[in-house]
Amino acid sequence: MTIDDKKKIFDEFCQYISPERAEKIIKNSAERTRYITIVLEDIYQGHNASAALRSSDCFGIQDVHVIEQKHSYKLAENVAKGASDWLNVKQYNDKNVNNTQVCFDALRAQGYKIVATSPWKNDVLIHELPLDTKTALVFGTEQYGLSDYALQNADAFVKVPMYGFTESFNISVSVALCLYETTKRIRESNMPWQLTPEERIELQLYWLGRTTHRYGQIQALLKGVTTS
């Protein structure tokens, strides 16, 4: 199916929403990026996971990777404010495997550099991190930090500058600070940070399906299945 065919489906289902809503879907899809993504490793506090998703949506991040090795992923909807509806959340929670390794392997296969957000030897401040390739920022829990595997297999390490007595930022604050800095820099650069035209129209259809509660109908049309 061509991009034009998908645009026709989008136009057809736009009758179920206001023109303003349709315009916002198109506008926001042009601001989305997969050049930066985030990984949440075993973040079991629902309010922190939810705030991280909310920040991801606000800064235009489309994909969030959630590793559930020791703890299950839970959301506090009063904090997330529906952000998960607009994101692609990939969960890694298979039993008897190293889900961090599975996640890292999948990201590297897509061309991502794995960056641990943790003080370490040869670390750099977040504003010094080179963004010359797709980057996955990995965050761990406040209490335990990142796993040994994550620390030993990251490609680089970053930290957020601090000037007070407290040892660290809240994890959700760290996510927001790192995303503010990195997304600002890529948007001001010549890096290919935007989605491709194909990714953009597919995202528009995904959002439209969620908004109109006609996701199944839209997916059926995309697969060439006639619906009644």
Side-chain angles (χ1 to χ4, degrees), residues 122-163:
N122 300 322
D123 59 17
V124 297
L125 295 173
I126 186 64
H127 64 271
E128 299 171 334
L129 177 67
L131 296 175
D132 52 349
T133 189
K134 293 164 65 178
T135 300
L137 299 169
V138 188
F139 300 86
T141 65
E142 290 179 52
Q143 184 174 3
Y144 303 108
L146 291 168
S147 67
D148 289 341
Y149 182 90
L151 293 172
Q152 293 168 7
N153 289 274
D155 301 311
F157 298 85
V158 296
K159 58 185 177 183
V160 178
M162 296 182 61
Y163 308 101

Side-chain angles (χ1 to χ4, degrees), residues 25-111:
I25 286 175
I26 294 171
K27 176 180 178 296
N28 285 357
S29 68
E31 298 293 341
R32 271 325 212 229
T33 188
R34 288 192 165 106
Y35 195 87
I36 302 290
T37 191
I38 70 167
V39 179
L40 306 177
E41 186 188 45
D42 275 329
I43 296 182
Y44 57 89
Q45 306 98 328
H47 63 283
N48 278 332
S50 302
L53 263 60
R54 187 173 178 179
S55 293
S56 296
D57 177 49
C58 289
F59 286 112
I61 303 298
Q62 186 55 39
D63 298 332
V64 175
H65 302 264
V66 177
I67 298 169
E68 301 172 81
Q69 191 69 36
K70 298 178 180 178
H71 305 288
S72 297
Y73 162 72
K74 297 179 181 179
L75 282 182
E77 285 300 335
N78 61 319
V79 179
K81 299 294 186 182
S84 58
D85 291 340
W86 311 109
L87 303 171
N88 294 114
V89 180
K90 170 63 176 175
Q91 293 174 254
Y92 302 81
N93 52 16
D94 291 339
K95 295 182 178 179
N96 302 318
V97 301
N98 185 331
N99 286 296
T100 300
Q101 180 179 357
V102 172
C103 177
F104 281 17
D105 289 348
L107 288 169
R108 285 199 171 99
Q110 298 172 54

Side-chain angles (χ1 to χ4, degrees), residues 2-43:
T2 67
I3 291 179
D4 286 341
D5 291 332
K6 293 177 181 178
K7 287 181 177 179
K8 290 178 181 177
I9 295 175
F10 181 83
D11 291 340
E12 176 185 346
F13 279 82
C14 276
Q15 65 179 298
Y16 299 109
I17 59 175
S18 67
E20 292 77 17
R21 188 67 163 176
E23 182 180 353
K24 189 170 185 178
I25 286 175
I26 294 171
K27 176 180 178 296
N28 285 357
S29 68
E31 298 293 341
R32 271 325 212 229
T33 188
R34 288 192 165 106
Y35 195 87
I36 302 290
T37 191
I38 70 167
V39 179
L40 306 177
E41 186 188 45
D42 275 329
I43 296 182

